[in-house]
Amino acid sequence: EIRPECSCEQLFLTLKTPYRGANKRSFYELTSRRLKQIGISRGRMGPHSIRHARATSLLQEGASIKEIGDFLGHRNPESSLVYAKFDVELLRPVAEFSLGSLL
């Protein structure tokens, strides 16, 4: 069993006793410490960096903005644009698309 027994109703708990609900600062410290350990030391260093990274990887895998929004739990598809940073190389085929006789 991964979750320790405690009376706390929050989903995320502290890692050490006495167990209690984790707060936003705990998530930021855990995420930024781990990112630094793996050699990332610039850009966003908090938990949202994970959302940014996953949204970008989904986009690179061919997911639509709607699919990314659904995955992230957004009600408005435009909200996903905040996380899905467009990769220039990913957009290059669009820019190189020939319009042929349409011009």
Side-chain angles (χ1 to χ4, degrees):
E1 185 172 301
I2 295 173
R3 183 181 172 91
E5 287 190 37
C6 73
S7 61
C8 186
E9 293 182 9
Q10 285 182 269
L11 177 60
F12 298 105
L13 305 175
T14 56
L15 299 174
K16 297 179 182 175
T17 57
Y19 299 112
R20 59 190 179 286
N23 59 34
K24 288 181 183 179
R25 184 169 178 82
S26 299
F27 286 112
Y28 182 88
E29 289 174 0
L30 179 68
T31 306
S32 63
R33 182 174 54 243
R34 182 64 185 129
L35 289 171
K36 288 174 186 171
Q37 287 173 344
I38 62 173
I40 298 172
S41 60
R42 62 175 195 236
R44 295 176 186 259
M45 298 294 287
H48 270 78
S49 62
I50 297 167
R51 291 176 67 87
H52 283 274
R54 185 60 184 140
T56 300
S57 69
L58 286 169
L59 186 66
Q60 290 171 341
E61 293 168 11
S64 69
I65 294 300
K66 170 139 180 28
E67 291 169 327
I68 293 169
D70 290 346
F71 179 82
L72 295 174
H74 293 155
R75 292 182 186 161
N76 182 344
E78 291 183 18
S79 299
S80 303
L81 295 175
V82 172
Y83 299 106
K85 303 295 183 187
F86 292 102
D87 185 333
V88 173
E89 290 304 314
L90 189 62
L91 292 175
R92 192 171 305 282
V94 175
E96 293 173 349
F97 180 76
S98 173
L99 296 176
S101 62
L102 294 175
L103 293 175

